[in-house]
Each structure stands twice: as structure tokens, then as C-alpha cells.
Amino acid sequence: GVLHLSRGDLRQAEEAYAAALRLNPGLVEAKSNLAAVYLRSGRVNEASELYAQVLKKRSWDQEALIHLGAACLSKGQGAEAARHLTTALANDPGNPQIYFSLGLAHQMAWARKEALEAYREFIRIARKDAAWNDQVFQAEQAMFSLSGGR
């Protein structure tokens, strides 16, 4: 499945992970990887279900926390996304992607102060790396909007 997923062949990857789960339904890695396939395929609800199952077995699973947060964001569930992303952030406090996503989650949940804090920290960390320039710009625009245009 991993080879198919790395090549972008989502159908073959899904079949491989589903077959692995038929043989061993408790295989957490296969559930996590199948959830990734679902998320890339736009099957957000199915991905969310599998990531939740992964977290029941491995509450510390960073990838599952981040991706479940992203899935919640795409479903418009800002507060739920923030909960998962905050847990992920506790495990990896220097991760700019988590701060950016957390800013989006708080903004979606109308938690202005928390959104501003997350965006500020994201910008502080990400400004050092040009690869983040687009997201830094987006965070700055969000902060401007959250600050009432000031």
C-alpha cells in the first residue's frame, strides 16, 4: 500500500490497505494509511472515522492528530479541529503547520484571541523559512481581519 500511495495510486493503495485490514482488523498502521488515502480522495468522513479509531489505540499518534484536525477543519468543525491540533502541538511545539492549522481552527470557531496567538506563533516560527511565505501572508491577512482591520 505504501508504494501505491507514494506513487499517487490511491485506488491500489486503498485496495492494499483494505486487504491488510481484512486479514488483521486491528492493524493500526493500515488504518492510519487507509485514512490518509480517504483524506486525499476527499472522503473526509471515512478518514475521520479511521483516524478516531487509530487514536483510540494510540492517543499519542501525531499524524492521526494532525490529519484528524485537518479533516475537522474541512468539515467546518473548528472547535473539534482545535482540540486535536492542540494535543498535537503539545507533542511538537515547534511545528509551524500545526500553529497555522490551529489558527484556522480557532478562527473558524470564532475564538479570536486564540486564533491571533496561534497565527503570531506561526509567523514567528515560519518567517525563517521561505517555503512558508504564502502561509505567512495568509496568516498576516487573517490577523489583520481578526484585528478589525487595524
Side-chain angles (χ1 to χ4, degrees):
V2 173
L3 180 62
H4 297 298
L5 189 56
S6 70
R7 291 182 179 163
D9 188 346
L10 300 178
R11 187 182 58 76
Q12 290 284 21
E14 180 179 349
E15 289 175 9
Y17 295 130
L21 287 169
R22 281 191 296 278
L23 294 173
N24 183 352
L27 200 56
V28 178
E29 284 301 321
K31 283 184 183 182
S32 184
N33 290 335
L34 183 56
V37 169
Y38 287 160
L39 200 55
R40 287 188 189 179
S41 301
R43 295 159 63 186
V44 178
N45 290 332
E46 291 167 281
S48 296
E49 271 183 47
L50 284 177
Y51 282 130
Q53 290 175 26
V54 168
L55 290 170
K56 283 183 183 173
K57 297 279 186 189
R58 299 190 315 206
S59 62
W60 46 265
D61 190 304
Q62 192 71 352
E63 181 179 325
L65 286 164
I66 292 169
H67 287 112
L68 185 53
C72 290
L73 275 174
S74 71
K75 293 191 292 184
Q77 300 170 337
E80 183 71 10
R83 188 172 66 81
H84 297 299
L85 293 165
T86 298
T87 302
L89 188 60
N91 299 329
D92 189 4
N95 186 322
Q97 182 60 57
I98 298 172
Y99 277 107
F100 183 76
S101 296
L102 190 56
L104 291 171
H106 285 309
Q107 188 174 1
M108 185 180 287
W110 299 97
R112 182 185 161 279
K113 178 181 169 231
E114 292 83 355
L116 286 167
E117 289 172 6
Y119 285 135
R120 273 189 205 101
E121 189 60 18
F122 164 73
I123 291 169
R124 186 189 69 75
I125 294 169
R127 196 173 291 262
K128 303 169 192 165
D129 183 348
W132 290 102
N133 284 350
D134 288 345
Q135 288 87 353
V136 167
F137 178 75
Q138 290 173 17
E140 289 170 340
Q141 292 298 309
M143 289 178 67
F144 181 77
S145 175
L146 288 165
S147 298
R150 294 179 257 133

mmCIF file of all heavy atoms in Angstrom, residues 2 10-11 19 21 29 39 43 50-51 57 63 75 80 90-91 100 107 114-115 118 125 130-132 139 150:
data_model
loop_
_atom_site.group_PDB
_atom_site.id
_atom_site.type_symbol
_atom_site.label_atom_id
_atom_site.label_comp_id
_atom_site.label_asym_id
_atom_site.label_seq_id
_atom_site.Cartn_x
_atom_site.Cartn_y
_atom_site.Cartn_z
ATOM 1 N N VAL A 2 1.935 1.249 0.761
ATOM 2 C CA VAL A 2 2.774 2.447 0.874
ATOM 3 C C VAL A 2 3.337 2.829 -0.489
ATOM 4 O O VAL A 2 3.353 4.006 -0.851
ATOM 5 C CB VAL A 2 3.916 2.222 1.897
ATOM 6 C CG1 VAL A 2 4.882 3.386 1.905
ATOM 7 C CG2 VAL A 2 3.338 1.995 3.288
ATOM 8 N N LEU A 10 -4.135 6.015 -5.612
ATOM 9 C CA LEU A 10 -4.993 5.900 -4.436
ATOM 10 C C LEU A 10 -5.870 4.655 -4.463
ATOM 11 O O LEU A 10 -6.113 4.039 -3.420
ATOM 12 C CB LEU A 10 -5.843 7.159 -4.293
ATOM 13 C CG LEU A 10 -5.066 8.466 -4.123
ATOM 14 C CD1 LEU A 10 -6.022 9.647 -4.028
ATOM 15 C CD2 LEU A 10 -4.151 8.411 -2.921
ATOM 16 N N ARG A 11 -6.327 4.267 -5.634
ATOM 17 C CA ARG A 11 -7.190 3.086 -5.740
ATOM 18 C C ARG A 11 -6.439 1.827 -5.318
ATOM 19 O O ARG A 11 -6.921 1.034 -4.524
ATOM 20 C CB ARG A 11 -7.735 2.935 -7.165
ATOM 21 C CG ARG A 11 -8.788 1.824 -7.302
ATOM 22 C CD ARG A 11 -9.260 1.665 -8.737
ATOM 23 N NE ARG A 11 -8.180 1.379 -9.670
ATOM 24 C CZ ARG A 11 -7.570 0.192 -9.802
ATOM 25 N NH1 ARG A 11 -7.936 -0.823 -9.049
ATOM 26 N NH2 ARG A 11 -6.606 0.022 -10.687
ATOM 27 N N ALA A 19 -7.218 -4.858 2.164
ATOM 28 C CA ALA A 19 -6.879 -6.282 2.238
ATOM 29 C C ALA A 19 -6.127 -6.582 3.535
ATOM 30 O O ALA A 19 -6.388 -7.601 4.202
ATOM 31 C CB ALA A 19 -6.039 -6.683 1.026
ATOM 32 N N LEU A 21 -6.385 -5.014 6.316
ATOM 33 C CA LEU A 21 -7.338 -4.932 7.426
ATOM 34 C C LEU A 21 -8.302 -6.111 7.459
ATOM 35 O O LEU A 21 -8.777 -6.486 8.530
ATOM 36 C CB LEU A 21 -8.102 -3.600 7.377
ATOM 37 C CG LEU A 21 -7.269 -2.391 7.774
ATOM 38 C CD1 LEU A 21 -8.001 -1.097 7.455
ATOM 39 C CD2 LEU A 21 -6.902 -2.460 9.250
ATOM 40 N N GLU A 29 -1.464 0.668 11.759
ATOM 41 C CA GLU A 29 -0.781 1.339 10.644
ATOM 42 C C GLU A 29 -1.618 1.295 9.374
ATOM 43 O O GLU A 29 -1.679 2.280 8.640
ATOM 44 C CB GLU A 29 0.598 0.712 10.386
ATOM 45 C CG GLU A 29 1.648 1.105 11.391
ATOM 46 C CD GLU A 29 1.878 2.601 11.461
ATOM 47 O OE1 GLU A 29 1.877 3.284 10.415
ATOM 48 O OE2 GLU A 29 2.043 3.110 12.579
ATOM 49 N N LEU A 39 -8.577 10.624 3.015
ATOM 50 C CA LEU A 39 -8.459 12.082 3.104
ATOM 51 C C LEU A 39 -8.023 12.674 1.768
ATOM 52 O O LEU A 39 -8.588 13.662 1.298
ATOM 53 C CB LEU A 39 -7.473 12.455 4.213
ATOM 54 C CG LEU A 39 -7.548 13.860 4.777
ATOM 55 C CD1 LEU A 39 -8.940 14.196 5.279
ATOM 56 C CD2 LEU A 39 -6.540 14.028 5.904
ATOM 57 N N ARG A 43 -12.710 11.822 0.906
ATOM 58 C CA ARG A 43 -13.680 11.063 1.705
ATOM 59 C C ARG A 43 -13.413 11.367 3.181
ATOM 60 O O ARG A 43 -12.944 10.540 3.940
ATOM 61 C CB ARG A 43 -13.555 9.588 1.363
ATOM 62 C CG ARG A 43 -13.961 9.322 -0.084
ATOM 63 C CD ARG A 43 -13.416 8.058 -0.660
ATOM 64 N NE ARG A 43 -13.876 6.861 0.019
ATOM 65 C CZ ARG A 43 -13.408 5.652 -0.283
ATOM 66 N NH1 ARG A 43 -12.504 5.500 -1.221
ATOM 67 N NH2 ARG A 43 -13.848 4.606 0.372
ATOM 68 N N LEU A 50 -11.632 6.581 10.706
ATOM 69 C CA LEU A 50 -10.438 5.749 10.875
ATOM 70 C C LEU A 50 -9.396 6.417 11.768
ATOM 71 O O LEU A 50 -8.784 5.759 12.611
ATOM 72 C CB LEU A 50 -9.826 5.393 9.517
ATOM 73 C CG LEU A 50 -10.561 4.311 8.735
ATOM 74 C CD1 LEU A 50 -9.910 4.094 7.379
ATOM 75 C CD2 LEU A 50 -10.597 3.003 9.513
ATOM 76 N N TYR A 51 -9.184 7.717 11.606
ATOM 77 C CA TYR A 51 -8.229 8.408 12.480
ATOM 78 C C TYR A 51 -8.695 8.348 13.933
ATOM 79 O O TYR A 51 -7.878 8.193 14.845
ATOM 80 C CB TYR A 51 -8.010 9.857 12.037
ATOM 81 C CG TYR A 51 -7.086 9.994 10.858
ATOM 82 C CD1 TYR A 51 -7.444 10.751 9.759
ATOM 83 C CD2 TYR A 51 -5.833 9.373 10.848
ATOM 84 C CE1 TYR A 51 -6.592 10.891 8.668
ATOM 85 C CE2 TYR A 51 -4.979 9.504 9.765
ATOM 86 C CZ TYR A 51 -5.364 10.264 8.678
ATOM 87 O OH TYR A 51 -4.515 10.401 7.604
ATOM 88 N N LYS A 57 -6.497 3.635 19.935
ATOM 89 C CA LYS A 57 -5.407 2.679 20.218
ATOM 90 C C LYS A 57 -4.106 3.390 20.572
ATOM 91 O O LYS A 57 -3.327 2.900 21.379
ATOM 92 C CB LYS A 57 -5.159 1.782 19.001
ATOM 93 C CG LYS A 57 -6.312 0.920 18.612
ATOM 94 C CD LYS A 57 -6.376 -0.297 19.475
ATOM 95 C CE LYS A 57 -7.472 -1.218 18.962
ATOM 96 N NZ LYS A 57 -7.711 -2.301 19.861
ATOM 97 N N GLU A 63 0.529 11.928 13.630
ATOM 98 C CA GLU A 63 -0.038 12.014 12.275
ATOM 99 C C GLU A 63 -1.561 11.957 12.330
ATOM 100 O O GLU A 63 -2.249 12.739 11.666
ATOM 101 C CB GLU A 63 0.501 10.888 11.399
ATOM 102 C CG GLU A 63 -0.027 10.941 9.987
ATOM 103 C CD GLU A 63 0.519 9.831 9.110
ATOM 104 O OE1 GLU A 63 1.690 9.448 9.287
ATOM 105 O OE2 GLU A 63 -0.235 9.360 8.255
ATOM 106 N N LYS A 75 -14.516 19.932 7.442
ATOM 107 C CA LYS A 75 -15.945 19.743 7.705
ATOM 108 C C LYS A 75 -16.554 20.942 8.426
ATOM 109 O O LYS A 75 -17.720 20.927 8.778
ATOM 110 C CB LYS A 75 -16.171 18.474 8.543
ATOM 111 C CG LYS A 75 -15.821 17.199 7.808
ATOM 112 C CD LYS A 75 -16.287 15.951 8.535
ATOM 113 C CE LYS A 75 -15.557 15.690 9.820
ATOM 114 N NZ LYS A 75 -15.980 14.420 10.459
ATOM 115 N N GLU A 80 -13.580 21.340 17.260
ATOM 116 C CA GLU A 80 -13.089 19.954 17.298
ATOM 117 C C GLU A 80 -11.683 19.877 16.699
ATOM 118 O O GLU A 80 -10.809 19.196 17.219
ATOM 119 C CB GLU A 80 -14.058 19.041 16.540
ATOM 120 C CG GLU A 80 -13.703 17.584 16.573
ATOM 121 C CD GLU A 80 -13.903 16.918 17.931
ATOM 122 O OE1 GLU A 80 -14.503 17.521 18.831
ATOM 123 O OE2 GLU A 80 -13.449 15.773 18.082
ATOM 124 N N ALA A 90 1.139 20.028 21.675
ATOM 125 C CA ALA A 90 1.822 19.683 22.931
ATOM 126 C C ALA A 90 2.946 18.682 22.682
ATOM 127 O O ALA A 90 3.962 18.701 23.376
ATOM 128 C CB ALA A 90 0.819 19.122 23.931
ATOM 129 N N ASN A 91 2.782 17.845 21.660
ATOM 130 C CA ASN A 91 3.802 16.848 21.314
ATOM 131 C C ASN A 91 4.897 17.408 20.422
ATOM 132 O O ASN A 91 5.969 16.823 20.322
ATOM 133 C CB ASN A 91 3.154 15.655 20.594
ATOM 134 C CG ASN A 91 2.132 14.950 21.442
ATOM 135 O OD1 ASN A 91 2.240 14.896 22.660
ATOM 136 N ND2 ASN A 91 1.112 14.406 20.802
ATOM 137 N N PHE A 100 -0.348 27.037 12.172
ATOM 138 C CA PHE A 100 -1.160 27.616 11.105
ATOM 139 C C PHE A 100 -2.565 27.002 11.113
ATOM 140 O O PHE A 100 -3.571 27.717 11.094
ATOM 141 C CB PHE A 100 -0.484 27.412 9.743
ATOM 142 C CG PHE A 100 -1.229 28.054 8.610
ATOM 143 C CD1 PHE A 100 -1.171 29.424 8.420
ATOM 144 C CD2 PHE A 100 -1.989 27.292 7.745
ATOM 145 C CE1 PHE A 100 -1.864 30.027 7.371
ATOM 146 C CE2 PHE A 100 -2.688 27.883 6.704
ATOM 147 C CZ PHE A 100 -2.622 29.254 6.512
ATOM 148 N N GLN A 107 -10.036 30.446 14.367
ATOM 149 C CA GLN A 107 -10.757 31.461 13.610
ATOM 150 C C GLN A 107 -12.128 30.928 13.204
ATOM 151 O O GLN A 107 -13.138 31.619 13.320
ATOM 152 C CB GLN A 107 -9.943 31.877 12.377
ATOM 153 C CG GLN A 107 -10.509 33.045 11.639
ATOM 154 C CD GLN A 107 -9.592 33.524 10.515
ATOM 155 O OE1 GLN A 107 -8.523 32.968 10.274
ATOM 156 N NE2 GLN A 107 -10.007 34.561 9.830
ATOM 157 N N GLU A 114 -7.407 33.330 20.629
ATOM 158 C CA GLU A 114 -6.627 32.110 20.406
ATOM 159 C C GLU A 114 -6.119 32.040 18.974
ATOM 160 O O GLU A 114 -4.995 31.600 18.722
ATOM 161 C CB GLU A 114 -7.459 30.869 20.746
ATOM 162 C CG GLU A 114 -7.771 30.717 22.217
ATOM 163 C CD GLU A 114 -8.992 31.532 22.686
ATOM 164 O OE1 GLU A 114 -9.566 32.306 21.878
ATOM 165 O OE2 GLU A 114 -9.343 31.402 23.874
ATOM 166 N N ALA A 115 -6.952 32.473 18.019
ATOM 167 C CA ALA A 115 -6.529 32.483 16.612
ATOM 168 C C ALA A 115 -5.347 33.427 16.425
ATOM 169 O O ALA A 115 -4.353 33.079 15.774
ATOM 170 C CB ALA A 115 -7.691 32.887 15.707
ATOM 171 N N ALA A 118 -2.180 31.869 17.851
ATOM 172 C CA ALA A 118 -1.665 30.791 17.002
ATOM 173 C C ALA A 118 -0.998 31.361 15.745
ATOM 174 O O ALA A 118 0.092 30.913 15.355
ATOM 175 C CB ALA A 118 -2.779 29.822 16.623
ATOM 176 N N ILE A 125 7.725 31.441 13.898
ATOM 177 C CA ILE A 125 8.486 30.235 13.544
ATOM 178 C C ILE A 125 8.722 30.163 12.034
ATOM 179 O O ILE A 125 9.826 29.882 11.574
ATOM 180 C CB ILE A 125 7.742 28.968 14.014
ATOM 181 C CG1 ILE A 125 7.679 28.921 15.534
ATOM 182 C CG2 ILE A 125 8.424 27.715 13.479
ATOM 183 C CD1 ILE A 125 6.740 27.855 16.068
ATOM 184 N N ALA A 130 11.569 30.412 3.762
ATOM 185 C CA ALA A 130 10.840 30.971 2.613
ATOM 186 C C ALA A 130 9.753 30.038 2.089
ATOM 187 O O ALA A 130 8.802 30.495 1.447
ATOM 188 C CB ALA A 130 11.818 31.318 1.489
ATOM 189 N N ALA A 131 9.855 28.751 2.370
ATOM 190 C CA ALA A 131 8.844 27.802 1.909
ATOM 191 C C ALA A 131 7.469 28.112 2.505
ATOM 192 O O ALA A 131 6.450 27.697 1.959
ATOM 193 C CB ALA A 131 9.256 26.374 2.265
ATOM 194 N N TRP A 132 7.446 28.849 3.599
ATOM 195 C CA TRP A 132 6.198 29.179 4.276
ATOM 196 C C TRP A 132 5.655 30.552 3.886
ATOM 197 O O TRP A 132 4.653 31.001 4.454
ATOM 198 C CB TRP A 132 6.402 29.143 5.799
ATOM 199 C CG TRP A 132 6.616 27.772 6.333
ATOM 200 C CD1 TRP A 132 7.815 27.230 6.701
ATOM 201 C CD2 TRP A 132 5.635 26.772 6.565
ATOM 202 N NE1 TRP A 132 7.619 25.956 7.150
ATOM 203 C CE2 TRP A 132 6.291 25.645 7.073
ATOM 204 C CE3 TRP A 132 4.255 26.728 6.387
ATOM 205 C CZ2 TRP A 132 5.612 24.483 7.405
ATOM 206 C CZ3 TRP A 132 3.580 25.565 6.724
ATOM 207 C CH2 TRP A 132 4.258 24.456 7.222
ATOM 208 N N ALA A 139 -1.610 34.184 7.044
ATOM 209 C CA ALA A 139 -1.746 34.399 8.491
ATOM 210 C C ALA A 139 -1.782 35.895 8.796
ATOM 211 O O ALA A 139 -2.575 36.345 9.642
ATOM 212 C CB ALA A 139 -0.605 33.715 9.242
ATOM 213 N N ARG A 150 -7.003 46.665 11.787
ATOM 214 C CA ARG A 150 -6.002 47.558 12.390
ATOM 215 C C ARG A 150 -4.645 46.916 12.420
ATOM 216 O O ARG A 150 -4.402 45.812 12.485
ATOM 217 C CB ARG A 150 -6.399 47.910 13.829
ATOM 218 C CG ARG A 150 -7.656 48.740 13.848
ATOM 219 C CD ARG A 150 -8.087 49.075 15.258
ATOM 220 N NE ARG A 150 -9.195 48.174 15.564
ATOM 221 C CZ ARG A 150 -9.302 47.481 16.692
ATOM 222 N NH1 ARG A 150 -8.417 47.550 17.616
ATOM 223 N NH2 ARG A 150 -10.347 46.724 16.897
#
